[in-house]
Amino acid sequence: MYIGSIEYVLGEKRKICTEELLDAAKVQAVMLGGLQFYRKSSSSPEKLAMTAISKCLAKTSVNKNGIKAVVYATTMDTVTMNGRFDYKYIEANMHSFDLSGAYPFGVFLSQCANIISALRFARNTIIAENIDSVIIVTTDVIPETSSRFMKDDLSILSDGASACIVSRHPLEYKIDNITQSINYSLDNIANPLSATFARANEIGKITRQHFVNEREAACLLKQIFTNNYNIPTMKFYAQQFTNEMGEGAFDKIYMKNVRENGHAFSSDTLINLKDYSDDGKLSLGDQVLLCATGQNRWGMVTLTVAK
Protein backbone atom coordinates (compact mmCIF):
# COMPACT_ATOMS: atom_id res chain seq x y z
CA MET A 1 0.00 0.00 0.00
CA TYR A 2 1.23 3.47 -0.88
CA ILE A 3 0.67 7.13 -0.01
CA GLY A 4 1.59 10.13 -2.11
CA SER A 5 0.54 13.21 -4.06
CA ILE A 6 0.72 15.19 -0.81
CA GLU A 7 -0.36 18.81 -1.11
CA TYR A 8 -1.47 21.46 1.35
CA VAL A 9 -2.76 24.99 1.79
CA LEU A 10 -2.19 27.29 4.75
CA GLY A 11 -3.75 30.57 5.79
CA GLU A 12 -1.99 33.92 5.51
CA LYS A 13 1.20 34.16 7.55
CA ARG A 14 0.60 36.46 10.54
CA LYS A 15 3.01 37.68 13.21
CA ILE A 16 2.15 36.60 16.74
CA CYS A 17 1.40 39.87 18.53
CA THR A 18 -0.81 41.26 21.27
CA GLU A 19 -2.59 43.64 18.86
CA GLU A 20 -4.21 40.70 17.08
CA LEU A 21 -4.34 38.04 19.78
CA LEU A 22 -5.06 40.38 22.74
CA ASP A 23 -3.72 38.17 25.55
CA ALA A 24 -0.24 39.58 26.28
CA ALA A 25 0.71 36.85 28.76
CA LYS A 26 -0.12 34.05 26.33
CA VAL A 27 1.59 35.83 23.44
CA GLN A 28 4.74 36.05 25.52
CA ALA A 29 4.46 32.41 26.57
CA VAL A 30 4.19 31.00 23.04
CA MET A 31 6.93 33.28 21.74
CA LEU A 32 9.23 32.14 24.54
CA GLY A 33 8.45 28.63 23.28
CA GLY A 34 9.99 29.48 19.91
CA LEU A 35 6.90 30.42 17.90
CA GLN A 36 6.85 33.62 15.83
CA PHE A 37 4.02 33.23 13.32
CA TYR A 38 0.66 31.56 12.79
CA ARG A 39 -1.60 31.05 9.77
CA LYS A 40 -4.99 32.71 9.45
CA SER A 41 -7.54 32.07 6.70
CA SER A 42 -10.80 33.78 5.82
CA SER A 43 -11.98 30.57 4.14
CA SER A 44 -14.11 27.87 5.73
CA PRO A 45 -12.55 24.48 6.54
CA GLU A 46 -14.59 23.00 3.69
CA LYS A 47 -13.15 25.49 1.16
CA LEU A 48 -9.59 24.91 2.36
CA ALA A 49 -10.19 21.17 2.05
CA MET A 50 -11.36 21.49 -1.54
CA THR A 51 -8.32 23.63 -2.42
CA ALA A 52 -6.00 20.97 -0.99
CA ILE A 53 -7.84 18.20 -2.86
CA SER A 54 -7.64 20.17 -6.12
CA LYS A 55 -3.87 20.54 -5.75
CA CYS A 56 -3.52 16.87 -4.87
CA LEU A 57 -5.51 15.70 -7.90
CA ALA A 58 -3.52 18.00 -10.20
CA LYS A 59 -0.31 16.36 -9.02
CA THR A 60 -1.25 12.67 -8.91
CA SER A 61 -0.71 9.98 -11.52
CA VAL A 62 -3.51 7.89 -9.99
CA ASN A 63 -6.54 7.30 -12.22
CA LYS A 64 -9.41 9.31 -10.73
CA ASN A 65 -11.87 6.61 -11.78
CA GLY A 66 -10.17 4.32 -9.27
CA ILE A 67 -10.70 6.69 -6.32
CA LYS A 68 -13.72 5.16 -4.59
CA ALA A 69 -13.71 6.99 -1.23
CA VAL A 70 -12.97 10.43 0.18
CA VAL A 71 -11.99 10.58 3.86
CA TYR A 72 -12.65 14.03 5.34
CA ALA A 73 -10.72 14.47 8.60
CA THR A 74 -11.29 17.44 10.89
CA THR A 75 -11.46 17.88 14.64
CA MET A 76 -14.77 18.02 16.48
CA ASP A 77 -13.59 21.41 17.78
CA THR A 78 -13.52 22.77 14.23
CA VAL A 79 -17.02 21.47 13.55
CA THR A 80 -18.50 22.86 16.78
CA MET A 81 -16.60 26.18 16.75
CA ASN A 82 -17.62 26.96 13.19
CA GLY A 83 -21.18 25.96 14.02
CA ARG A 84 -21.89 24.11 10.79
CA PHE A 85 -20.64 21.49 8.38
CA ASP A 86 -21.34 22.32 4.74
CA TYR A 87 -21.50 18.81 3.27
CA LYS A 88 -23.46 20.12 0.26
CA TYR A 89 -20.46 22.25 -0.73
CA ILE A 90 -18.20 19.19 -0.47
CA GLU A 91 -20.60 17.09 -2.53
CA ALA A 92 -20.76 19.74 -5.28
CA ASN A 93 -16.97 19.82 -5.47
CA MET A 94 -16.70 16.04 -5.63
CA HIS A 95 -18.82 16.21 -8.76
CA SER A 96 -16.70 18.99 -10.28
CA PHE A 97 -13.53 16.95 -9.55
CA ASP A 98 -15.03 13.97 -11.43
CA LEU A 99 -15.10 12.08 -8.13
CA SER A 100 -18.86 11.56 -8.03
CA GLY A 101 -18.27 7.82 -7.48
CA ALA A 102 -16.12 8.42 -4.39
CA TYR A 103 -18.12 7.72 -1.23
CA PRO A 104 -17.60 10.30 1.56
CA PHE A 105 -16.48 9.30 5.05
CA GLY A 106 -15.72 11.45 8.11
CA VAL A 107 -12.97 11.05 10.72
CA PHE A 108 -13.44 13.37 13.69
CA LEU A 109 -12.62 11.77 17.06
CA SER A 110 -8.83 11.42 17.10
CA GLN A 111 -8.16 15.13 17.61
CA CYS A 112 -4.79 16.11 16.12
CA ALA A 113 -4.05 12.45 15.36
CA ASN A 114 -6.92 12.34 12.84
CA ILE A 115 -4.46 11.83 9.97
CA ILE A 116 -3.36 8.48 11.40
CA SER A 117 -6.97 7.33 11.80
CA ALA A 118 -7.69 8.43 8.23
CA LEU A 119 -4.67 6.54 6.88
CA ARG A 120 -5.65 3.43 8.81
CA PHE A 121 -9.22 3.65 7.52
CA ALA A 122 -8.10 4.23 3.93
CA ARG A 123 -5.62 1.35 3.94
CA ASN A 124 -8.06 -1.08 5.50
CA THR A 125 -10.87 -0.04 3.15
CA ILE A 126 -8.71 -0.62 0.09
CA ILE A 127 -7.78 -4.09 1.36
CA ALA A 128 -11.24 -5.10 2.54
CA GLU A 129 -13.19 -3.84 -0.48
CA ASN A 130 -10.52 -4.48 -3.12
CA ILE A 131 -10.66 -0.93 -4.47
CA ASP A 132 -7.82 1.03 -6.05
CA SER A 133 -7.47 4.31 -4.18
CA VAL A 134 -8.78 6.62 -1.46
CA ILE A 135 -8.21 10.36 -1.12
CA ILE A 136 -7.71 11.87 2.36
CA VAL A 137 -8.09 15.50 3.34
CA THR A 138 -7.43 17.07 6.74
CA THR A 139 -8.73 20.57 7.41
CA ASP A 140 -9.22 22.91 10.37
CA VAL A 141 -10.02 26.61 10.80
CA ILE A 142 -10.32 28.67 13.99
CA PRO A 143 -13.18 31.20 13.80
CA GLU A 144 -12.66 34.82 14.85
CA THR A 145 -14.59 34.33 18.09
CA SER A 146 -12.37 31.50 19.39
CA SER A 147 -8.95 31.56 21.05
CA ARG A 148 -5.96 30.32 19.07
CA PHE A 149 -3.94 29.44 22.15
CA MET A 150 -3.59 25.77 23.01
CA LYS A 151 -4.01 24.53 26.55
CA ASP A 152 -0.86 25.21 28.63
CA ASP A 153 0.40 27.41 25.75
CA LEU A 154 1.79 24.36 23.91
CA SER A 155 1.39 26.21 20.60
CA ILE A 156 -0.80 28.58 18.64
CA LEU A 157 -3.47 27.15 16.34
CA SER A 158 -3.25 27.76 12.60
CA ASP A 159 -5.69 27.36 9.72
CA GLY A 160 -4.81 24.88 7.01
CA ALA A 161 -5.60 21.73 5.07
CA SER A 162 -3.62 18.87 3.56
CA ALA A 163 -4.54 16.14 1.10
CA CYS A 164 -3.00 12.89 -0.08
CA ILE A 165 -3.90 9.69 -1.88
CA VAL A 166 -3.63 6.17 -0.50
CA SER A 167 -3.45 3.57 -3.23
CA ARG A 168 -2.55 -0.01 -4.04
CA HIS A 169 -0.63 1.46 -7.01
CA PRO A 170 2.93 2.76 -6.47
CA LEU A 171 3.22 6.34 -5.19
CA GLU A 172 5.99 8.25 -3.42
CA TYR A 173 5.87 6.31 -0.15
CA LYS A 174 5.16 2.70 0.81
CA ILE A 175 3.14 2.30 4.01
CA ASP A 176 5.04 -0.14 6.22
CA ASN A 177 3.18 -0.07 9.51
CA ILE A 178 0.38 1.79 11.31
CA THR A 179 -0.10 1.75 15.08
CA GLN A 180 -2.56 3.62 17.30
CA SER A 181 -3.14 3.71 21.03
CA ILE A 182 -5.37 5.51 23.53
CA ASN A 183 -5.42 5.91 27.31
CA TYR A 184 -8.73 7.34 28.50
CA SER A 185 -7.50 7.58 32.11
CA LEU A 186 -5.23 10.51 31.24
CA ASP A 187 -8.27 12.78 31.15
CA ASN A 188 -8.59 12.28 34.90
CA ILE A 189 -5.09 13.54 35.80
CA ALA A 190 -5.50 17.07 37.15
CA ASN A 191 -1.85 17.90 37.85
CA PRO A 192 -0.19 19.19 34.63
CA LEU A 193 3.24 17.81 35.52
CA SER A 194 1.84 14.37 36.32
CA ALA A 195 -0.11 14.42 33.06
CA THR A 196 3.05 15.32 31.13
CA PHE A 197 4.98 12.38 32.53
CA ALA A 198 2.02 10.06 31.95
CA ARG A 199 1.95 11.11 28.29
CA ALA A 200 5.69 10.56 28.05
CA ASN A 201 5.12 7.03 29.24
CA GLU A 202 2.50 6.54 26.52
CA ILE A 203 4.99 7.66 23.86
CA GLY A 204 7.32 4.95 25.09
CA LYS A 205 4.58 2.34 25.02
CA ILE A 206 3.46 3.04 21.46
CA THR A 207 7.08 3.18 20.26
CA ARG A 208 7.69 -0.30 21.68
CA GLN A 209 4.43 -1.49 20.16
CA HIS A 210 5.15 0.00 16.72
CA PHE A 211 8.70 -1.21 16.19
CA VAL A 212 9.83 -4.83 16.29
CA ASN A 213 13.16 -3.56 17.58
CA GLU A 214 12.92 0.06 18.69
CA ARG A 215 16.68 0.27 19.25
CA GLU A 216 17.24 -0.35 15.54
CA ALA A 217 14.63 2.26 14.60
CA ALA A 218 16.84 5.30 15.21
CA CYS A 219 19.42 3.92 12.80
CA LEU A 220 16.82 3.08 10.15
CA LEU A 221 14.78 6.29 10.31
CA LYS A 222 15.87 9.27 8.25
CA GLN A 223 13.48 11.70 9.98
CA ILE A 224 10.60 11.83 12.48
CA PHE A 225 7.64 14.11 11.73
CA THR A 226 5.30 15.10 14.56
CA ASN A 227 2.69 17.76 15.21
CA ASN A 228 4.10 21.26 15.72
CA TYR A 229 4.21 22.28 19.37
CA ASN A 230 6.52 24.71 21.14
CA ILE A 231 10.25 23.94 21.11
CA PRO A 232 10.46 22.73 24.75
CA THR A 233 7.61 20.28 24.10
CA MET A 234 9.20 19.09 20.84
CA LYS A 235 12.49 18.51 22.68
CA PHE A 236 10.61 16.68 25.42
CA TYR A 237 9.09 14.36 22.79
CA ALA A 238 12.52 13.95 21.21
CA GLN A 239 13.89 12.84 24.58
CA GLN A 240 11.17 10.19 24.91
CA PHE A 241 12.07 8.83 21.47
CA THR A 242 15.71 8.86 22.55
CA ASN A 243 14.87 6.92 25.69
CA GLU A 244 13.28 4.19 23.57
CA MET A 245 15.37 4.24 20.39
CA GLY A 246 18.76 5.53 21.48
CA GLU A 247 20.71 8.75 21.06
CA GLY A 248 20.30 8.87 17.29
CA ALA A 249 16.62 9.72 17.59
CA PHE A 250 16.94 13.12 19.25
CA ASP A 251 18.21 15.04 16.22
CA LYS A 252 15.72 13.45 13.83
CA ILE A 253 12.64 15.32 15.06
CA TYR A 254 11.64 17.83 12.38
CA MET A 255 11.20 21.28 13.96
CA LYS A 256 11.71 23.63 11.00
CA ASN A 257 8.04 24.62 10.69
CA VAL A 258 7.37 25.28 14.38
CA ARG A 259 8.41 28.93 14.18
CA GLU A 260 6.71 29.64 10.84
CA ASN A 261 3.46 27.66 10.89
CA GLY A 262 2.30 27.13 14.46
CA HIS A 263 0.07 24.09 14.91
CA ALA A 264 -2.21 23.28 11.95
CA PHE A 265 -3.95 20.44 13.79
CA SER A 266 -3.62 17.04 12.06
CA SER A 267 -2.25 18.61 8.87
CA ASP A 268 1.13 19.19 10.53
CA THR A 269 2.70 15.82 9.80
CA LEU A 270 1.91 15.75 6.07
CA ILE A 271 2.98 19.39 5.67
CA ASN A 272 6.27 18.68 7.43
CA LEU A 273 6.90 15.55 5.35
CA LYS A 274 6.21 17.37 2.09
CA ASP A 275 8.43 20.33 2.97
CA TYR A 276 11.29 18.05 3.98
CA SER A 277 10.92 16.03 0.77
CA ASP A 278 10.69 19.20 -1.36
CA ASP A 279 14.02 20.29 0.13
CA GLY A 280 15.56 17.24 -1.58
CA LYS A 281 16.52 15.47 1.63
CA LEU A 282 14.96 12.07 0.92
CA SER A 283 16.30 9.26 -1.25
CA LEU A 284 14.88 5.99 -2.51
CA GLY A 285 14.64 3.50 0.35
CA ASP A 286 14.78 6.07 3.17
CA GLN A 287 12.40 5.39 6.07
CA VAL A 288 10.50 8.12 7.93
CA LEU A 289 8.10 8.11 10.85
CA LEU A 290 4.88 10.10 11.16
CA CYS A 291 3.87 10.49 14.81
CA ALA A 292 0.63 12.31 15.64
CA THR A 293 -0.81 13.02 19.08
CA GLY A 294 -4.09 14.05 20.64
CA GLN A 295 -4.92 14.74 24.28
CA ASN A 296 -4.85 11.03 25.13
CA ARG A 297 -4.33 9.50 21.67
CA TRP A 298 -1.23 8.52 19.74
CA GLY A 299 -0.59 7.24 16.25
CA MET A 300 2.48 6.21 14.26
CA VAL A 301 3.05 5.39 10.60
CA THR A 302 6.34 4.20 9.14
CA LEU A 303 6.88 5.03 5.45
CA THR A 304 9.59 4.01 2.99
CA VAL A 305 10.44 6.24 0.05
CA ALA A 306 9.39 4.25 -3.02
CA LYS A 307 9.76 6.74 -5.91
Side-chain angles (χ1 to χ4, degrees):
M1 202 66 61
Y2 298 87
I3 175 178
S5 308
I6 298 169
E7 290 292 338
Y8 68 84
V9 58
L10 287 166
E12 179 188 354
K13 187 175 179 180
R14 306 289 281 266
K15 179 78 173 176
I16 296 173
C17 62
T18 305
E19 287 78 10
E20 283 201 15
L21 300 168
L22 303 180
D23 192 321
K26 288 188 173 293
V27 165
Q28 182 180 26
V30 296
M31 293 185 72
L32 285 173
L35 292 103
Q36 294 292 323
F37 302 94
Y38 70 101
R39 302 301 185 118
K40 182 178 180 180
S41 175
S42 58
S43 294
S44 68
E46 295 90 344
K47 288 183 178 179
L48 285 185
M50 295 307 106
T51 300
I53 288 177
S54 178
K55 293 176 68 175
C56 173
L57 291 173
K59 177 180 180 179
T60 192
S61 60
V62 166
N63 187 336
K64 288 198 288 186
N65 292 330
I67 299 174
K68 298 301 182 184
V70 177
V71 183
Y72 185 95
T74 187
T75 61
M76 281 303 298
D77 287 344
T78 289
V79 175
T80 56
M81 284 189 298
N82 284 278
R84 61 195 292 271
F85 180 74
D86 193 354
Y87 65 89
K88 289 293 185 183
Y89 176 82
I90 294 173
E91 289 179 357
N93 277 272
M94 291 300 101
H95 184 72
S96 68
F97 292 150
D98 292 327
L99 293 177
S100 53
Y103 197 89
F105 295 90
V107 172
F108 303 94
L109 299 180
S110 292
Q111 300 170 334
C112 296
N114 274 329
I115 182 58
I116 310 297
S117 294
L119 285 170
R120 181 180 175 184
F121 178 86
R123 180 199 62 177
N124 292 349
T125 299
I126 291 170
I127 293 170
E129 300 184 15
N130 195 30
I131 60 176
D132 281 352
S133 306
V134 172
I135 192 164
I136 293 172
V137 61
T138 66
T139 184
D140 289 279
V141 172
I142 297 294
E144 289 284 352
T145 54
S146 299
S147 173
R148 289 187 177 271
F149 295 103
M150 290 185 68
K151 182 180 178 182
D152 299 325
D153 304 320
L154 288 179
S155 189
I156 187 164
L157 298 171
S158 286
D159 304 333
S162 66
C164 65
I165 291 176
V166 178
S167 180
R168 62 174 63 252
H169 302 294
L171 290 169
E172 292 94 323
Y173 306 97
K174 180 179 177 291
I175 300 174
D176 297 321
N177 191 22
I178 300 177
T179 306
Q180 288 185 290
S181 68
I182 190 164
N183 186 340
Y184 293 109
S185 67
L186 294 185
D187 288 338
N188 300 321
I189 301 176
N191 183 281
L193 186 60
S194 298
T196 296
F197 282 105
R199 292 190 176 93
N201 184 56
E202 294 297 323
I203 293 173
K205 285 169 60 178
I206 192 173
T207 302
R208 294 189 294 273
Q209 182 182 351
H210 185 75
F211 293 102
V212 175
N213 185 335
E214 64 271 15
R215 285 287 162 175
E216 290 182 0
C219 297
L220 296 173
L221 293 173
K222 176 78 171 183
Q223 197 75 15
I224 301 172
F225 302 99
T226 69
N227 297 105
N228 296 337
Y229 301 118
N230 62 37
I231 296 298
T233 300
M234 299 288 282
K235 288 183 176 180
F236 178 78
Y237 280 163
Q239 186 59 54
Q240 308 321 306
F241 284 117
T242 299
N243 293 344
E244 298 300 328
M245 295 191 276
E247 292 300 323
F250 191 90
D251 294 327
K252 295 184 178 181
I253 304 289
Y254 185 80
M255 301 187 193
K256 183 178 177 181
N257 284 338
V258 171
R259 178 182 181 273
E260 301 292 314
N261 290 352
H263 175 41
F265 296 82
S266 61
S267 294
D268 282 342
T269 50
L270 289 185
I271 291 171
N272 292 341
L273 171 58
K274 176 174 169 53
D275 285 357
Y276 186 81
S277 176
D278 286 351
D279 285 341
K281 296 182 178 179
L282 289 175
S283 302
L284 191 67
D286 283 345
Q287 279 195 327
V288 298
L289 178 69
L290 307 185
C291 179
T293 57
Q295 189 71 13
N296 55 13
R297 300 153 171 81
W298 292 264
M300 289 184 172
V301 179
T302 305
L303 305 175
T304 298
V305 179
K307 293 178 71 175

